[in-house]
Amino acid sequence: MSENNQLRDVFDAIADPTRRRLIRLLAESEEMPLHELTAHFQMGRTAVSKHLTILKEAGLVLDRKVGRETRFRLNASPLREIQDWVAFYSKFWSTNMLRLNRLLEEEDE
């Protein structure tokens, strides 16, 4: 977990396809209430709410009350941890593929 006092690991939070879809929906809009988010899924409000809670625990979703409605928005900063992890392995694989390519070229000579 990162230093943001998150209750849940970011990798764990995005492991589920439903939560990744929620992140995508929130990334495409400034804010969305629960009922609008739920309309995108074949599950009830309670199930969507549980997924949002997991995302909130990872620091990926922020919420605020507007009257009787709760509105959700994406906090993308914890995704930097994933971006950094992927970037490391992207460099790792690029380097190793270059080595393999050189080796194969040497064998062809």
Coordinates of all heavy atoms in Angstrom, one line a residue, residues 16-26 37 39-42:
D16 N -10.9 -6.5 -9.9 CA -12.2 -6.9 -10.4 C -12.7 -6.1 -11.6 O -12.5 -4.8 -11.6 CB -13.2 -6.6 -9.2 CG -14.6 -7.1 -9.5 OD1 -14.9 -8.3 -9.3 OD2 -15.4 -6.3 -10.1
P17 N -13.2 -6.7 -12.6 CA -13.6 -6.0 -13.8 C -14.7 -5.0 -13.6 O -14.8 -4.0 -14.3 CB -14.1 -7.1 -14.8 CG -13.9 -8.4 -14.1 CD -13.3 -8.2 -12.7
T18 N -15.6 -5.3 -12.6 CA -16.7 -4.3 -12.3 C -16.1 -3.0 -11.8 O -16.5 -1.9 -12.2 CB -17.7 -4.9 -11.3 OG1 -18.2 -6.1 -11.9 CG2 -18.7 -3.9 -10.9
R19 N -15.1 -3.1 -10.9 CA -14.4 -1.9 -10.4 C -13.6 -1.2 -11.4 O -13.6 0.0 -11.4 CB -13.6 -2.3 -9.1 CG -14.5 -2.8 -8.0 CD -13.7 -2.9 -6.7 NE -12.8 -4.0 -6.6 CZ -13.1 -5.2 -6.2 NH1 -14.3 -5.5 -5.9 NH2 -12.2 -6.2 -6.2
R20 N -13.0 -1.9 -12.3 CA -12.3 -1.2 -13.4 C -13.3 -0.5 -14.3 O -13.0 0.6 -14.7 CB -11.5 -2.2 -14.3 CG -10.3 -2.8 -13.5 CD -9.3 -3.5 -14.4 NE -9.9 -4.6 -15.2 CZ -10.0 -5.9 -14.7 NH1 -9.5 -6.2 -13.5 NH2 -10.5 -6.8 -15.5
R21 N -14.5 -1.1 -14.5 CA -15.5 -0.4 -15.3 C -16.0 0.9 -14.6 O -16.2 1.9 -15.2 CB -16.6 -1.3 -15.6 CG -17.6 -0.8 -16.6 CD -18.5 -1.9 -17.2 NE -19.5 -1.3 -18.0 CZ -20.7 -1.8 -18.1 NH1 -21.0 -2.9 -17.4 NH2 -21.6 -1.2 -18.8
L22 N -16.2 0.8 -13.2 CA -16.6 1.9 -12.5 C -15.5 3.1 -12.6 O -15.9 4.2 -12.7 CB -16.8 1.6 -11.0 CG -18.1 0.8 -10.6 CD1 -18.0 0.2 -9.3 CD2 -19.2 1.8 -10.7
I23 N -14.3 2.7 -12.5 CA -13.2 3.7 -12.7 C -13.3 4.3 -14.0 O -13.2 5.6 -14.1 CB -11.8 3.0 -12.5 CG1 -11.6 2.6 -11.0 CG2 -10.7 4.0 -12.9 CD1 -10.4 1.8 -10.7
R24 N -13.5 3.6 -15.1 CA -13.7 4.1 -16.4 C -14.8 5.1 -16.5 O -14.7 6.2 -17.0 CB -13.8 3.0 -17.4 CG -14.2 3.4 -18.8 CD -13.1 4.0 -19.6 NE -11.9 3.3 -19.7 CZ -11.5 2.6 -20.7 NH1 -12.1 2.7 -21.9 NH2 -10.4 2.0 -20.7
L25 N -16.0 4.7 -15.9 CA -17.2 5.6 -16.0 C -16.9 6.9 -15.2 O -17.3 7.9 -15.7 CB -18.4 4.8 -15.3 CG -19.0 3.7 -16.2 CD1 -19.9 2.9 -15.3 CD2 -19.7 4.2 -17.4
L26 N -16.2 6.8 -14.1 CA -16.0 8.0 -13.3 C -14.9 8.8 -14.0 O -14.9 10.1 -13.9 CB -15.5 7.6 -11.9 CG -16.7 7.0 -11.0 CD1 -16.1 6.5 -9.7 CD2 -17.8 8.1 -10.8
L37 N -24.6 5.4 -11.9 CA -23.6 4.3 -12.0 C -24.2 3.0 -12.1 O -23.9 2.1 -12.9 CB -22.6 4.4 -10.8 CG -21.6 5.6 -10.8 CD1 -21.0 5.7 -9.5 CD2 -20.6 5.4 -11.9
A39 N -27.0 2.1 -13.3 CA -27.7 1.9 -14.6 C -26.8 1.2 -15.6 O -27.3 0.7 -16.6 CB -28.2 3.2 -15.1
H40 N -25.5 1.3 -15.4 CA -24.5 0.7 -16.3 C -24.2 -0.8 -16.0 O -23.4 -1.4 -16.8 CB -23.2 1.5 -16.3 CG -23.4 2.9 -16.8 ND1 -23.2 3.2 -18.2 CD2 -23.6 4.1 -16.2 CE1 -23.4 4.5 -18.4 NE2 -23.6 5.0 -17.2
F41 N -24.8 -1.3 -15.0 CA -24.5 -2.7 -14.6 C -25.8 -3.5 -14.5 O -26.9 -3.0 -14.2 CB -23.8 -2.7 -13.3 CG -22.5 -2.0 -13.3 CD1 -22.4 -0.6 -13.0 CD2 -21.3 -2.6 -13.7 CE1 -21.2 0.0 -13.1 CE2 -20.1 -2.0 -13.8 CZ -20.0 -0.6 -13.5
Q42 N -25.6 -4.8 -14.6 CA -26.8 -5.7 -14.3 C -26.7 -6.2 -12.9 O -26.6 -7.4 -12.7 CB -26.7 -6.9 -15.3 CG -27.0 -6.4 -16.7 CD -27.1 -7.6 -17.7 OE1 -26.7 -8.7 -17.4 NE2 -27.6 -7.3 -18.9

